[in-house]
Amino acid sequence: YVFQVQSGLTHVGFDNSDSNIDGNSQGFFTMTRYGLLENFELRSAFGFSNTNTNSEMGTSIPDPSGFSLWSVGVRYNIVSGEGYKPSFGFQTDVRLNVVDEEFRSDEIAPRFMLIHSQQLSPTFGLTTNWAVRWNGNDNSPIGTYVINLSFPLSEKLGAFVENYGRISNGDIDMRWDTGMGYLINNDLLLDFSLGYGSNDGLTDWFIDAGISWRTKFK
């Protein structure tokens, strides 16, 4: 059995030129993972957010703050590849609507995701996620994807570049990010990343720092 905790602090800035609105938000997010078998794990995530919004039009805009995320789910590794052979997994989770009212959806919000990873060369590794989810407020599905290319910088320091996005009602939003992770030991990792996106008049960026820790039970 393996128990893992991944926690991080995030700062996001945004500017919507179409509506003359800009602002920023801060968040603390934690994910817990409990591996019951080599190919099966239970997952849960929760988060707290605070948003500050400004409007050049003088419009009063709510600034939600509080318990913003709670999700539960499972992950199953279908195929575990070795070397250049790919690995595939399936993950499903549900965002619960028991958070603070400002962040609450009308119904629970499910997500289904296919996970792929493989070694492209002795240096580069590729990971992709392909998912469909719902926001809990309507029946329109939202497609999301992540394409991650990772590579080592030294024995304990690794880096990645990533493209990710969402497809909703025929509209595609794309963003980019990059980051590094430092392996203190086999069970403790520090990471740092930043990203940027510009879609349909909305420009946003983020910077975050996190820590991952795991322990094993016999």
Side-chain angles (χ1 to χ4, degrees):
Y1 303 110
V2 178
F3 178 72
Q4 182 168 318
V5 178
Q6 301 167 217
S7 297
L9 295 170
T10 301
H11 179 85
V12 178
F14 56 88
D15 183 358
N16 193 323
S17 60
D18 292 341
S19 57
N20 295 315
I21 293 175
D22 64 80
N24 59 78
S25 67
Q26 299 77 40
F28 170 76
F29 300 95
T30 292
M31 174 178 290
T32 60
R33 304 168 60 182
Y34 188 48
L36 298 177
L37 304 170
E38 285 190 12
N39 60 352
F40 181 79
E41 71 177 30
L42 302 178
R43 308 164 60 89
S44 182
F46 62 89
F48 298 85
S49 301
N50 176 68
T51 302
N52 302 287
T53 307
N54 306 304
S55 173
E56 296 181 6
M57 306 298 292
T59 306
S60 177
I61 301 175
D63 289 332
S65 177
F67 183 31
S68 59
L69 169 68
W70 186 16
S71 69
V72 294
V74 297
R75 176 172 174 173
Y76 178 72
N77 294 331
I78 303 170
V79 177
S80 296
E82 295 183 2
Y84 299 114
K85 294 181 179 180
S87 298
F88 292 96
F90 177 76
Q91 179 179 317
T92 182
D93 48 45
V94 176
R95 290 184 60 154
L96 305 175
N97 56 350
V98 291
V99 295
D100 286 348
E101 185 176 358
E102 295 89 343
F103 303 96
R104 190 178 305 161
S105 59
D106 296 333
E107 304 291 341
I108 61 174
R111 178 179 67 162
F112 304 94
M113 180 166 62
L114 178 66
I115 305 165
H116 151 262
S117 66
Q118 69 182 106
Q119 198 71 24
L120 298 180
S121 72
T123 302
F124 293 99
L126 175 67
T127 300
T128 66
N129 297 336
W130 308 92
V132 59
R133 66 177 179 85
W134 286 260
N135 60 19
N137 295 318
D138 56 50
N139 294 323
S140 299
I142 302 170
T144 64
Y145 74 90
V146 178
I147 301 174
N148 178 295
L149 185 67
S150 60
F151 49 93
L153 299 177
S154 68
E155 183 178 354
K156 291 184 174 292
L157 185 65
F160 72 89
V161 291
E162 189 173 71
N163 172 247
Y164 63 100
R166 50 173 279 170
I167 304 172
S168 178
N169 296 320
D171 184 46
I172 302 177
D173 291 347
M174 293 193 302
R175 291 171 174 83
W176 294 85
D177 66 351
T178 185
M180 295 186 297
Y182 180 72
L183 191 65
I184 296 178
N185 57 49
N186 288 336
D187 298 313
L188 186 61
L189 174 74
L190 302 179
D191 63 83
F192 171 83
S193 61
L194 53 89
Y196 173 84
S198 182
N199 299 276
D200 301 324
L202 174 64
T203 300
D204 56 83
W205 58 271
F206 78 86
I207 181 171
D208 68 21
I211 183 171
S212 299
W213 168 82
R214 70 179 180 182
T215 186
K216 300 178 181 179
F217 301 95
K218 292 184 179 180

